Every structure is written in C-alpha cells, then in structure tokens.
Amino acid sequence: MLRPQDTSTRERKPLTGLWRFALDPAAEGRRSRWFAGPLANAREMAVPASFNDIVTDPAVRDYFGDVWYQTTVRVPRGWADQRIVLHFESATHRATVWVNDAEVVSHEGGYTPFEADVTEHVRPGEEARVTVVVDNTLSFQTIPPGVIEDTPAGKRQRYWHDFFNYAGIHRPVWLYARPAAHLTDITVVTGLDGATGTIDYTTTAADAEGADVRVVLRDSTGGEVATGTGTGGRLTVDNVHRWAPGDGYLYALEVQLVDPAGTVVDSYHQSVGVRTVAVSGNRFLINGEPFHFTGFGMHEDHAVIGKGYNDAHMLHDFELLEWIGANSLRTSHYPYSEEVLDYADRHGIVVIDETAAVGINMGLGGGIFGSQGYQTFSPDTVNDRTREVHAQAIRELVARDKNRPSVVLWSIANEPESDTEGAEEYFRPLFGLTRELDPTRPVGFVNVMLAPYGKCRVSQFADVLMLNRYYGWYVYTGDLEGAEQAWEEELRGWATENKPIIITEYGADTYPGLHSVTAEPWTEEYQIAYLDMNHRVFDRVDAVVGEQVWNFADFMTTSGIMRVGGNKKGVFTRDRQPKAAAYALRRRWRKEV
Ligand code: GCB
C-alpha cells in the first residue's frame, strides 16, 4: 500500500477536523444501520484524537465497545476519471467503514493503515457520507490482548499492558485520487561499496498492462544522480551521501509508470536513505561502524488528545530528544504515526520499530497490574488465532516501514512470557516470518525480568538482546548497592551469548518536586542515583550497545496502587517539563560537564 501523496498524477484531501460521534453501548448500530443516515444523538469529536479525555463523562473515558464516527466530504469535481480511495492511517483497535450506504473496508489492529477504493460509491462534485464504527475491545485474540470480565458491577475490560487503552481515530484520514493504472508498492534496499551507494528497487502496479517503469533518483538539491528503467533494478551513486545517525540525508526516488505512448500515467516519490545495518558479534553496526543507542522508550501520549497525532507535540518531543542528546527511540509499545517516522528519517534518529504485541504475559499482569488467574498460552487464551493476528501485525508493520532508513531493528513483542515451551512454540514462526519479510534488518523482542538470563527460551531466536530491567525499582527497591551487584551479575550472563545487548528499559517512578537528602524512591534525587547506578553497570559490560531509559515522559495508565496519575517514570513530566534527571542524562549523552 502506498501512502497518499500529492504528485503530478495524484491528489489528496484531508478529512481531519470535527466529526460526529456516538457511543453504542447496546451494540445496536450495525443492526440498525446507523451508517445509512446522519448519526442520531451525536456529539462532536476531534479527528485525529483519542475520544477518551476530550469529554468530561466517565462513561466515555472508560468506554469499551463500538463507537461511531461520521463526517461528510465533498469529492473534488476534478477527480472524474480517477480512482478515488479512502485512507486511514490508523483506527484503534479495529474499524469498519461505510461510504454512503456501502460497506467498503474492515481492518483489525490499531496502529497500521488501511484503505478502500470507493470510486463506485461516490461522485466527483458531490458530497459523500463517511461512517466508521471503531471498536476498542481487547480479547485474547487481539494484539495487544485483553479480556472482558463479568463483575458484580457489570462488564470490565482488563488488559496486561501499562498504558491507558486510548482509542479512536488517532491519525489523519485522507480521500485521494490516483490514476486507474497505478503503482501499488515500492521497495528499496540500500547497500554500500566503499564510497558508492547502491539502491535496489522493486515496484508493483495494478491495471497497468503494457506500461513500463522509469525511476529518477535526485539528491537533496533536486539534482539528478541516477536513472533506471524496468519494474526493478539497481541504481548506483558515486560518492554517496550516507544516511547516518545524526545526519538524516535523504535522496528522492521518483517512480513513474509510463504507458506505451510514453505518457507518465502515475508518479510516486519515495525517499531513500542509503545506509547499511548489521550485527557482528556483540556489535550493532550502522554503515559498518559500531553504534551505541542513547534515548528512550516513549509513548504517543499527551493530555486531552491521548494518542492522537499532533504536529506541534511531535516536533516538541523531537526538540527535547535533541536537547538531551538522544540518538534513538523505541516505538514502545506499538507502531508510531508515520509522521514520527518521517521526522526520524529526515533527522537521522535511529528507531527500534515495535509491534503492538505488548502484555502477552499474564504472569506479569498478575504482579503489577492486578489481573490474575490466566495462563498466557493455552487454547482458551493466547492461541494459534492470536498468533495469526500477531503475524498479520508484523506483515503490516514491515510493509509500512520497510523503506525507512531510521528503522534499524524490528521488535516483534514487548515483555511476552518467554520462559515456557508455549512461548518458544509461539515465537519461533514469528521470527521466521519477520526475517522472510525483511532479510535486511536484525530482529528481536524485548525480554522481561521474569525470564532472566538462563531462563529465557525465546532470546535464542533474536539477533539482538533487548532487556527491560528494574533493579533498584521493582526489586532491590531503594537498595542501589544490592541492585548494582545483582544487575551486573545478570548482565554478565547475557553477555556470554555474544550478541549486542540494548537495555530497552530502566527507570524509576519519580514525582516531580519530591526531594530528599538521602536518595529515597520517588524523589528526583533517587531517579538520578538510580540512572547513575545503571550507567556504571553498562559501562563495565562491553556487550551493552544501547541504553534507552523508561520513559521519555510521564504517561497515562489505568488506575492502580502502583500508579499516581499514571506512570511517573518520565524524565520529563507529561507536559514535557524536565525533572532533575533530564539534566543528568544530558550531561552523559552530550558528554558535557
Ligand atoms: C515494563 C513495561 C512498560 C511499563 C514499565 C513500568 O517493563 O515494558 O510498559 O510501563 O515496565 O513502568 O512498569
């Protein structure tokens, strides 16, 4: 699927703004055909945004089930003779869409795009009604998983991940026009041979019999540096300007579909960063050079808009990453907005790209978030069907982000149960699938404390070890000396595996403004002392090639005795003010004293 673009042959129109919105607690909307006319009893809702925190009604905030969105769009009159497509960058966690009375598409998974050709259902120059039912329910057959429980007070949604189940239409929606004969996909794989860069491209097209493909590669000033013909081929660039961490240099590949008369019938622009990624022993190499990750696990999370995409927030978060000296981030715990990845591509920020497979671990949930009594892998819980949904989530993530130079590593799950036979069976094929889909990038998953060195049965499949550890927080709370010893001992065990190790989470909840002379948990001083202890350990273990603090900023979670207005492990507060630890990290990462 190619993302909507304005080119010489394509045009797009955003459908963002205020839509009509209604809850459907009795699940009657589909049966009663709510899509067949103006949505009754609707309130206004912003798109993109999570719906949860916009209104004051608790019934909306904690709602699960179907919600309905509706808008009207006037189809540009100049789009006659074009194919007209309706494109959603995401809808969390699943959606079905109608255009006027016709059902046009359904999609499972809250963080990847989907679209439908709606040409037969609209008329250029006229208005069309777009109705979407979004369902945010989580079950054992969804990614991430959850369960609806019957309680004396009614049904409740439980899940095993530590962030609020924000839902809605989180990202832009587009109506766009493309030609009947059109490009459907472009793949680029880059290589380096000394100072020469190579770009292997492949393209696919639809309804394009007899058409040929022409490609033109331009540098950042627009100068032509290579051309090619054919649906696939190799371009070479002498004295190539490499894409590198901190230097997000992009070439622009224009792909043209040309009919037998020589007319360009479709044109699409693919940005290309020429770089290589490899793992060698315990080193992670970008362009053949060892790379050390600094940065954070993050969240798409802001006051009011929840997980909704916003240009200003996105830019500000990247400004803070730059300020603190972060060279990388992990899209914990789901694929982030494409706009975020675009920025990372343009600015040389290195990305660990993660699926939404978080919380496949009912043991962990029992301990921290209060949902006990389930076995993780079983015919009734996480099962073969779940794995197929997970596989599809991996397919869609790789399809979406495969051409991004910023993405250097796939993380196919966060903290799943990984010390059992069931886990081994579940994950083996998913690693195989990811490698088949993308042989060019290392693959890993994020390991949890409950499956420490010597116990984990899934890390054998990973190219890179990603570890989340909370020595000095969830264990050895307040005892940084004991934590330091235990942590180093475990880490030295992992180091014997001769793989690069990235510490993908380490962090301590910190209430901004809370202080103590002796470092007490929850104080700003303790957060600094905790990070310092971790850094001493990392600096002593050669295999550690990355440190990503949990978390960039405080974020919203479900309520519970472990959380105070959300998770407070942020180095920045939720409104992006620095805690004292931010300055300490800045000194370490920017090597400033
Ligand atoms: C973890 C999870 C993350 C949580 C964090 C915590 O290991 O990966 O989602 O938020 O711990 O703060 O407990």
Side-chain angles (χ1 to χ4, degrees):
M1 188 191 312
L2 293 176
R3 202 171 160 204
Q5 239 181 32
D6 286 306
T7 73
S8 59
T9 61
R10 292 169 175 241
E11 209 175 325
R12 61 186 183 161
K13 176 171 181 168
L15 270 66
T16 46
L18 297 180
W19 290 43
R20 289 185 290 281
F21 175 84
L23 304 186
D24 183 8
E28 58 186 318
R30 296 173 201 245
R31 208 177 343 110
S32 306
R33 297 172 54 85
W34 285 8
F35 51 84
L39 207 51
N41 303 319
R43 62 169 95 218
E44 291 180 83
M45 184 50 68
V47 172
S50 299
F51 60 75
N52 310 76
D53 286 349
I54 290 188
V55 299
T56 53
D57 182 355
V60 176
R61 183 167 196 268
D62 297 324
Y63 181 84
F64 58 91
D66 284 348
V67 298
W68 292 75
Y69 283 81
Q70 192 176 67
T71 191
T72 49
V73 54
R74 186 169 294 279
V75 180
R77 61 198 160 93
W79 287 5
D81 306 328
Q82 302 284 300
R83 302 304 299 183
I84 298 169
V85 184
L86 181 59
H87 181 101
F88 291 78
E89 293 190 19
S90 76
T92 311
H93 295 280
R94 71 193 55 76
T96 298
V97 182
W98 290 263
V99 168
N100 296 324
D101 286 359
E103 183 178 325
V104 294
V105 67
S106 288
H107 181 258
E108 172 70 31
Y111 304 94
T112 43
F114 58 97
E115 63 180 29
D117 185 323
V118 300
T119 318
E120 310 313 324
H121 309 295
V122 298
R123 274 176 215 261
E126 293 185 10
E127 277 197 337
R129 187 176 61 249
V130 176
T131 310
V132 187
V133 61
V134 178
D135 173 13
N136 64 346
T137 309
L138 298 175
S139 75
F140 285 114
Q141 279 66 56
T142 62
I143 294 293
V147 67
I148 308 279
E149 291 177 339
D150 283 313
T151 77
K155 290 189 185 304
R156 296 285 184 271
Q157 170 82 71
R158 302 260 178 243
Y159 46 87
W160 293 273
H161 54 269
D162 182 33
F163 54 94
F164 191 81
N165 187 29
Y166 281 118
I169 301 178
H170 285 152
R171 298 178 186 165
V173 182
W174 303 94
L175 192 68
Y176 75 94
R178 68 184 174 203
H182 62 273
L183 295 156
T184 51
D185 199 18
I186 298 166
T187 307
V188 293
V189 174
T190 63
L192 289 167
D193 183 6
T196 304
T198 58
I199 298 150
D200 293 324
Y201 74 90
T202 47
T203 61
T204 55
D207 301 321
E209 216 161 300
D212 202 358
V213 169
R214 208 155 63 194
V215 298
V216 184
L217 188 75
R218 299 188 179 88
D219 63 19
S220 65
T221 64
E224 211 172 283
V225 289
T227 57
T229 50
T231 55
R234 168 167 288 196
L235 306 178
T236 57
V237 185
D238 294 334
N239 292 319
V240 69
H241 189 144
R242 298 167 180 202
W243 188 98
D247 183 10
Y249 189 90
L250 296 176
Y251 291 88
L253 182 72
E254 184 183 350
V255 181
Q256 298 175 333
L257 196 62
V258 186
D259 73 9
T263 311
V264 175
V265 289
D266 193 14
S267 160
Y268 197 86
H269 297 257
Q270 172 65 55
S271 51
V272 180
V274 181
R275 58 105 183 93
T276 62
V277 178
V279 165
S280 170
N282 66 11
R283 289 288 170 259
F284 193 97
L285 306 177
I286 299 182
N287 299 331
E289 288 165 28
F291 178 67
H292 186 90
F293 297 73
T294 61
F296 299 93
M298 301 183 61
H299 265 301
E300 293 189 313
D301 176 273
H302 287 91
V304 184
I305 61 171
K307 295 205 171 306
Y309 173 74
N310 175 276
D311 280 336
H313 283 313
M314 185 275 286
L315 285 181
H316 186 55
D317 283 358
F318 275 112
E319 282 288 323
L320 293 175
L321 289 173
E322 160 80 19
W323 175 86
I324 206 168
N327 62 20
S328 70
L329 63 94
R330 175 169 61 116
T331 70
S332 43
H333 294 308
Y334 36 83
Y336 285 6
S337 301
E338 291 164 82
E339 292 76 5
V340 171
L341 280 293
D342 286 346
Y343 186 100
D345 284 341
R346 286 196 304 273
H347 294 267
I349 314 292
V350 173
V351 174
I352 302 173
D353 209 358
E354 188 159 280
T355 69
V358 53
I360 305 183
N361 195 333
M362 276 105 237
L364 184 66
I368 302 182
F369 316 119
S371 287
Q372 281 161 331
Y374 298 97
Q375 190 186 335
T376 303
F377 299 102
S378 82
D380 298 330
T381 53
V382 176
N383 58 19
D384 289 350
R385 172 74 198 134
T386 318
R387 185 170 56 194
E388 185 38 44
V389 174
H390 194 161
Q392 182 60 16
I394 293 172
R395 285 184 203 107
E396 292 186 19
L397 177 62
V398 174
R400 194 193 76 163
D401 290 347
K402 63 186 173 184
N403 292 331
R404 296 188 174 281
S406 59
V407 174
V408 300
L409 172 59
W410 302 113
S411 167
I412 65 171
N414 178 72
E415 295 197 344
E417 178 178 302
S418 63
D419 56 346
T420 55
E421 196 184 335
E424 195 175 329
E425 278 168 19
Y426 180 91
F427 277 103
R428 182 184 286 109
L430 294 179
F431 275 89
L433 170 72
T434 314
R435 292 206 171 86
E436 196 181 298
L437 293 167
D438 180 8
T440 74
R441 287 180 183 84
V443 185
F445 81 107
V446 173
N447 163 285
V448 65
M449 283 193 94
L450 297 180
Y453 173 65
K455 294 247 171 69
C456 183
R457 297 174 63 153
V458 176
S459 55
Q460 58 174 318
F461 305 126
D463 300 307
V464 176
L465 300 171
M466 291 187 269
L467 307 180
N468 291 355
R469 288 299 181 276
Y470 289 91
Y471 288 96
W473 187 255
Y474 290 123
V475 293
Y476 296 91
T477 317
D479 174 10
L480 291 178
E481 220 178 290
E484 185 162 351
Q485 280 177 20
W487 189 189
E488 184 165 351
E489 190 186 324
E490 194 201 341
L491 201 49
R492 289 203 181 279
W494 285 109
T496 62
E497 307 223 328
N498 196 31
K499 293 180 182 180
I501 300 173
I502 303 170
I503 312 304
T504 33
E505 288 184 25
Y506 60 114
D509 283 276
T510 304
Y511 204 84
L514 190 67
H515 296 286
S516 66
V517 173
T518 57
E520 291 297 316
W522 289 94
T523 63
E524 297 205 28
E525 288 74 20
Y526 189 79
Q527 191 176 31
I528 294 175
Y530 169 96
L531 295 176
D532 283 349
M533 177 279 285
N534 273 271
H535 296 148
R536 285 195 298 276
V537 174
F538 304 163
D539 292 346
R540 290 196 293 262
V541 180
D542 178 59
V544 173
V545 302
E547 50 196 64
Q548 293 187 331
V549 176
W550 190 257
N551 188 284
F552 170 70
D554 295 344
F555 58 91
M556 194 45 63
T557 64
T558 49
S559 39
I561 53 166
M562 309 281 282
R563 299 289 174 253
V564 185
N567 187 309
K568 289 280 185 284
K569 294 192 186 69
V571 164
F572 296 93
T573 59
R574 199 177 190 214
D575 60 357
R576 275 49 177 177
Q577 299 306 318
K579 299 180 189 172
Y583 295 94
L585 279 171
R586 182 172 198 261
R587 281 192 292 274
R588 175 175 167 87
W589 288 344
R590 298 183 73 108
K591 299 187 171 53
E592 286 169 8
V593 269

